[in-house]
Amino acid sequence: MAKQGAGELPKYQRIAAELRAAIESGQYGPGDQLPGENQLKETHQVALMTARQALDVLKNEGIAESRKGKGVFVRAFRPVRRRGVQRLSQEVWGSGRSVWADDAADRDLVVDGIEVGEAPATEPVARVLGLEPGAAVCTRHRRFVLDGKPVLLSVSHLPAELVAGSPVTQEDTGPGGTYARLAELGHKPVRFREEVRSRMPSAAETRQLELSAGTPVMRICRTAFDGDGRAVELNEMTLDAAAYVLEYDIEA
Amino acid sequence: MAKQGAGELPKYQRIAAELRAAIESGQYGPGDQLPGENQLKETHQVALMTARQALDVLKNEGIAESRKGKGVFVRAFRPVRRRGVQRLSQEVWGSGRSVWADDAADRDLVVDGIEVGEAPATEPVARVLGLEPGAAVCTRHRRFVLDGKPVLLSVSHLPAELVAGSPVTQEDTGPGGTYARLAELGHKPVRFREEVRSRMPSAAETRQLELSAGTPVMRICRTAFDGDGRAVELNEMTLDAAAYVLEYDIEA
DNA sequence: TAGTGGTCTAGACCACGTT
DNA sequence: ACGTGGTCTAGACCACTAT
């Protein structure tokens, strides 16, 4: 036996749609447990695999989440607001405050996995920074963990000749961070360009950000320019899309 | 029989990882056909469902795409660059050009599904526009189709008392669009705020944007403010994330 | 121990597209 | 007619969680 009745949706999509509607109507709230495979199998009189397929739909839509041995639950969201303009104003990093402090507010933000190194520029990085391919580049890897959950991976690239010997090549860049140091080196960032993309995560990103199925990532590539219009930093960030809302203020 | 060998990845993940690596190494380029279910079943000596599961992984990652009766293929991307700042400068809409023309460049952009109406404000819309809940709001629905593929859904909300009787309530808003008309009505937009989110699409969005599995959407909520700081428009946009890269320029 | 989700099998029929 | 992916079944064993 197989197939759905003519002109109708497949069974698993019908079951998924029914659950989706129940969630959207508020019948199941954030964090609530949904009917499991076995229950769906009986209430809808389908095979286990079909019930599983229905739940897979909701998981891949990011509205449900399964925990092994426990059940399937409605996902809850509580995104952080990331202000793209204010965070880069000179008042923030010029005052010695971290560029990241603004995001956290009342929440617990930890930075781990810091790795600083020097490596030859890859082709795309060299192009953005205006270097010859293979030129030495200082790279700074970091991971941001919010309330125990990793939310952002960051890799910063800077021309090595620009920052050699400065605190930028240390784990702790000092008050005001990289941008304050660049300013001291005569390359104060005055203009930034952010490119935002979104896609499904790679396997590595899923692991590092502990993402569940159905969660996209946002990719922000930020270039910092000094007063001469030279690109002095390229920062590639990978964000858990469920954890962030990006805000940009624009003057006409 | 069941289970994978101790300490190893499940079979379907191993197969998926192998294909993923082959794609990333360039062995399969954009548009190339991948080995199908039956081929994977034989080369890896697994059940059909297991081979399917492996392909599902790649599809949900957005790097492969299946076409019924044909096969599974590596997805190709060609995103449009959407300049968030330049597009909102007065020079663009003040000159009578469409705010959208800049995106398209050499490509074929069509707007369809235009629907203009008036309805009571929902709670979130009323809050953003500073209206009482239930106050009349003019809504403008549009869909943008690029090279035959729908890429953006837009719903614009404006206080009805502000635009009543103006071309804003018509399908064709005239040269310079809604913002030029708002300016003529004494509510020239001088400041904008865009909020960017990303998530997996709803079933309705998947249908309207003709999205394939593994494609997230980006959600842009833009509020336009006039010189008095009053919110005069809320534009909710839903973008095919595979079709767009958002660019924002920021002055320190 | 019982219940949950996770993986896996070996079949089946259907719809679609090509030959 | 044949190959492709799409849906579906009726079992099975495993791993994790709770009681």
Side-chain angles (χ1 to χ4, degrees):
Chain A
M1 201 184 307
K3 246 276 286 185
Q4 70 272 19
E8 292 170 10
L9 280 175
K11 286 186 183 178
Y12 77 97
Q13 285 188 26
R14 289 189 62 82
I15 300 174
E18 184 180 313
L19 288 172
R20 197 188 296 117
I23 292 168
E24 283 166 3
S25 78
Q27 187 176 334
Y28 298 99
D32 285 359
Q33 182 165 7
L34 292 169
E37 321 175 318
N38 295 304
Q39 188 175 336
L40 289 177
K41 171 188 171 184
E42 301 204 346
T43 60
H44 290 80
Q45 290 292 297
V46 294
L48 229 200
M49 284 299 290
T50 305
R52 289 187 54 75
Q53 216 174 347
L55 290 170
D56 280 343
V57 170
L58 300 185
K59 289 191 275 188
N60 286 327
E61 285 179 351
I63 62 184
E65 188 174 27
S66 58
R67 298 198 269 274
K68 209 193 296 189
K70 301 180 82 169
V72 184
F73 300 82
V74 180
R75 282 186 62 177
F77 295 93
R78 199 193 159 199
V80 178
R81 179 170 297 263
R82 175 189 183 272
R83 297 185 177 79
V85 176
Q86 290 92 327
R87 64 185 295 107
L88 293 172
S89 73
Q90 199 189 331
E91 292 78 58
V92 173
W93 54 263
S95 68
R97 284 190 288 149
S98 162
V99 188
W100 302 96
D102 191 44
D103 290 341
D106 56 330
R107 302 173 74 173
D108 179 39
L109 182 65
V110 174
V111 182
D112 70 3
I114 299 183
E115 270 183 46
V116 185
E118 195 174 303
T122 61
E123 194 275 318
V125 170
R127 196 174 60 249
V128 170
L129 292 179
L131 304 171
E132 270 110 77
V137 165
C138 169
T139 62
R140 302 180 49 82
H141 293 253
R142 284 176 296 176
R143 188 175 79 152
F144 294 78
V145 182
L146 184 69
D147 291 342
K149 208 246 153 236
V151 292
L152 187 153
L153 307 174
S154 165
V155 187
S156 181
H157 309 263
L158 304 104
E161 41 101 0
L162 218 65
V163 296
S166 83
V168 173
T169 63
Q170 305 299 312
E171 285 206 1
D172 184 356
T173 53
T178 300
Y179 292 155
R181 298 298 85 71
L182 282 171
E184 292 164 4
L185 292 166
H187 294 281
K188 185 173 82 168
V190 298
R191 196 166 63 80
F192 301 90
R193 182 175 62 223
E194 293 200 344
E195 290 179 356
V196 182
R197 292 172 177 78
S198 175
R199 53 167 171 73
M200 294 312 283
S202 69
E205 290 164 342
T206 299
R207 193 182 63 251
Q208 295 176 84
L209 290 174
E210 297 171 14
L211 300 173
S212 54
T215 305
V217 293
M218 293 194 276
R219 177 95 177 168
I220 304 180
C221 294
R222 177 174 66 214
T223 313
F225 300 92
D226 68 12
D228 301 326
R230 171 172 182 185
V232 292
E233 189 223 16
L234 169 62
N235 194 342
E236 300 180 309
M237 290 166 272
T238 306
L239 288 67
D240 175 352
Y244 274 97
V245 44
L246 314 182
E247 180 180 305
Y248 292 97
D249 286 309
I250 302 165
E251 306 292 325
Chain B
M1 199 184 309
K3 247 276 288 184
Q4 69 271 20
E8 293 171 9
L9 281 175
K11 285 185 183 177
Y12 77 98
Q13 285 188 25
R14 288 189 63 82
I15 300 174
E18 184 180 313
L19 288 172
R20 195 189 298 117
I23 292 168
E24 283 166 4
S25 79
Q27 186 176 334
Y28 298 99
D32 285 358
Q33 182 164 7
L34 292 169
E37 322 174 318
N38 294 304
Q39 188 176 335
L40 290 177
K41 170 189 171 182
E42 301 204 347
T43 60
H44 290 80
Q45 290 293 298
V46 293
L48 229 200
M49 285 300 290
T50 305
R52 290 186 53 76
Q53 216 174 347
L55 290 170
D56 280 344
V57 170
L58 300 185
K59 289 191 275 186
N60 285 327
E61 285 178 351
I63 62 184
E65 188 174 29
S66 59
R67 298 197 269 274
K68 211 193 297 189
K70 302 181 80 171
V72 184
F73 301 83
V74 180
R75 283 186 62 178
F77 296 93
R78 197 192 160 199
V80 178
R81 180 169 296 263
R82 174 189 184 272
R83 296 185 177 79
V85 178
Q86 290 92 328
R87 64 186 295 107
L88 293 173
S89 73
Q90 199 189 332
E91 293 76 57
V92 173
W93 54 264
S95 68
R97 283 190 288 151
S98 162
V99 188
W100 303 95
D102 191 43
D103 290 342
D106 56 329
R107 302 172 75 174
D108 179 39
L109 182 65
V110 174
V111 182
D112 70 2
I114 301 184
E115 270 182 46
V116 185
E118 195 175 303
T122 60
E123 195 276 318
V125 170
R127 196 175 61 248
V128 170
L129 292 180
L131 304 173
E132 271 110 76
V137 165
C138 169
T139 62
R140 302 180 50 82
H141 293 253
R142 285 175 295 177
R143 188 175 78 153
F144 294 79
V145 182
L146 185 69
D147 292 340
K149 208 247 154 233
V151 292
L152 188 153
L153 307 174
S154 165
V155 187
S156 182
H157 310 263
L158 304 103
E161 42 100 1
L162 218 66
V163 296
S166 83
V168 173
T169 63
Q170 306 299 312
E171 284 206 0
D172 184 356
T173 52
T178 299
Y179 292 154
R181 297 296 86 72
L182 281 172
E184 292 164 5
L185 292 166
H187 294 281
K188 185 172 84 167
V190 299
R191 196 166 63 79
F192 301 88
R193 183 176 60 224
E194 293 200 344
E195 290 179 355
V196 182
R197 292 172 178 76
S198 175
R199 53 167 171 73
M200 294 311 283
S202 69
E205 289 164 343
T206 298
R207 193 182 63 251
Q208 295 176 84
L209 289 173
E210 297 170 14
L211 300 173
S212 54
T215 305
V217 293
M218 292 194 276
R219 177 97 176 166
I220 304 180
C221 294
R222 178 174 66 214
T223 313
F225 299 92
D226 68 12
D228 300 326
R230 171 173 180 182
V232 292
E233 188 222 31
L234 170 62
N235 194 342
E236 300 180 308
M237 290 166 272
T238 307
L239 289 66
D240 175 352
Y244 275 96
V245 45
L246 314 182
E247 180 180 305
Y248 293 96
D249 286 310
I250 301 165
E251 306 292 326

